[in-house]
Structures are given as structure tokens and as C-alpha cells.
Amino acid sequence: MEEIRNIYCVGRNYALHAKELGNDVPEEPMIFSKPTHALHPASGKLALPGSIGEIHYELEIVARIGKTYKAGMTVDELVDGIALGIDLTARDVQSQLKEKRHPWLLAKGFVGSAVLGPFQPFGGEAAFGEIVFSLLKNDETVQSGSPRDMIFSLQQLIDFIGTRMGLGAGDIIYTGTPAGVGPLADGDALELKLAAGGKEETFGPLYVDLI
């Protein structure tokens, strides 16, 4: 994970997820970031700060950028890998920040809040839309989705971020989460499943340790 530079994340990019939290569906991408200190592999023990209230899982597909963005470049030119990740959110902290109209960083950027699985080859934009991904918590499927249900496509996200903040090799984008987010408890076991190109892979388990 040392080669990762910037971590961009997309909020409310699946309509049902926006609605389950009582949020409006956005008219343009909502972008926030996490520090690289937040990165954690999608296996082993995940130590999280239990003192900050409920921490929610948000399963996402993560796209890795392979070269410097220039206007007009396509997804197929820019993206060189995909992975599954979990955008962990301190939900109580986020609610307080939203009430004050403050940025979300304290709720999104704590150590361990950017879980990331191993990257797989990117099969192109058309194949990307056929991916199905899911999250199991204690052997029960709690989230499932597909990029075809994203409000803003991967191309739209790349153009939006690239023209405003820049994108370069080693940057990654957490592309948003489908419905079904919920809290983690001490001892929970998480597994991430990715079905793409006729193959299904499972990553994990990841064991939650609230400290």
C-alpha cells in the first residue's frame, strides 16, 4: 500500500444508500478524502477506536489510477486496477459534524478507516459495469451491489475529480457504497466478495477489534 498517494472517496453514489440515511440524491459527485494512515488490508485484525461511537461499514469498489489525468482521457486509458474496500464511518461523529456543517474528516479519516483488498486487473469500462460485489458479516450477506447502479459513472467521477483536484498514478477512488450499511461490533468477522469476468473471489476474513 506504500505506492498509494491520494485517497478520494465518493459519498451518496447509490440512490438507495442515500435514501436509507435520509439524504437527498446529489446532483453532482460528493467528494471527500482520507489520509493514507487510514489504509488497512482486508484481512487479519482491524483495531478500531470503540470510544467514538458506532462505526459503520460501507463496502465499495475502488479504482486505481495508473497515469496522470488529462482532460479527454477515458477510463480505459487511466484505470489500471480495481479492488474492494470498506469506507468505515464513525456515524455518531459524522452526524454531529453534519449538524454543525463541518467537514467529515474526523468521521472518515481515523486509523484503519480505509480497508483495502488486493488490486485486480481492470477489464475495461464495459466489464466494470458487470461486476457484482458483496460484504459478509459473520457469514451473513449484509451488502450487495453493482457499479451499474452508481448515480455517477466511473468516467464522470474521474472527470470531476481530475479537473478539480488532479489525478495521478497511485491515486485511488472509493466509488461509493450500495444500501445495507450498518454498525460493527467487537469480534465481527468480515469477508469481501467480488464476482467479475466469470470468476468469484473472496477476501478476508477481517476481524474487528474495538479498543
Side-chain angles (χ1 to χ4, degrees), residues 124-136:
E125 187 174 19
F128 180 76
E130 299 304 313
I131 289 172
V132 176
F133 60 104
S134 57
L135 177 68
L136 278 69

Side-chain angles (χ1 to χ4, degrees), residues 10-15 17-18 23-26 30 98 104 151-152:
V10 185
R12 305 177 193 173
N13 200 26
Y14 287 74
H17 169 60
N23 297 316
D24 294 332
V25 174
M30 294 179 59
K98 287 165 68 175
W104 293 357
I151 297 169
F152 303 104

Side-chain angles (χ1 to χ4, degrees), residues 92-171:
D92 297 334
V93 176
Q94 187 188 40
S95 297
Q96 295 166 8
L97 293 171
K98 287 165 68 175
E99 287 179 3
K100 298 176 182 178
R101 298 175 181 263
H102 287 181
W104 293 357
L105 184 57
L106 289 176
K108 292 284 195 177
F110 53 91
V111 173
S113 65
V115 174
L116 185 62
F119 279 96
Q120 315 295 311
F122 181 63
E125 187 174 19
F128 180 76
E130 299 304 313
I131 289 172
V132 176
F133 60 104
S134 57
L135 177 68
L136 278 69
K137 184 176 76 166
N138 304 326
D139 296 322
E140 177 184 353
T141 300
V142 290
Q143 280 191 282
S144 183
S146 171
R148 72 173 69 94
D149 297 323
M150 295 195 313
I151 297 169
F152 303 104
S153 69
L154 186 54
Q155 184 70 60
Q156 288 174 303
L157 296 177
I158 285 174
D159 288 335
F160 188 89
I161 296 169
T163 57
R164 289 162 176 80
M165 289 165 279
L167 283 169
D171 291 347

Side-chain angles (χ1 to χ4, degrees), residues 57-117:
Y57 54 80
E58 299 185 12
L59 180 68
E60 315 201 2
I61 293 184
V62 182
R64 184 177 63 194
I65 303 300
K67 60 179 66 173
T68 301
Y69 172 86
K70 294 179 181 178
M73 294 181 75
T74 67
V75 167
D76 288 353
E77 293 176 285
L78 286 162
V79 177
D80 70 357
I82 58 165
L84 290 181
I86 305 176
D87 165 22
L88 292 174
T89 304
R91 193 68 74 198
D92 297 334
V93 176
Q94 187 188 40
S95 297
Q96 295 166 8
L97 293 171
K98 287 165 68 175
E99 287 179 3
K100 298 176 182 178
R101 298 175 181 263
H102 287 181
W104 293 357
L105 184 57
L106 289 176
K108 292 284 195 177
F110 53 91
V111 173
S113 65
V115 174
L116 185 62

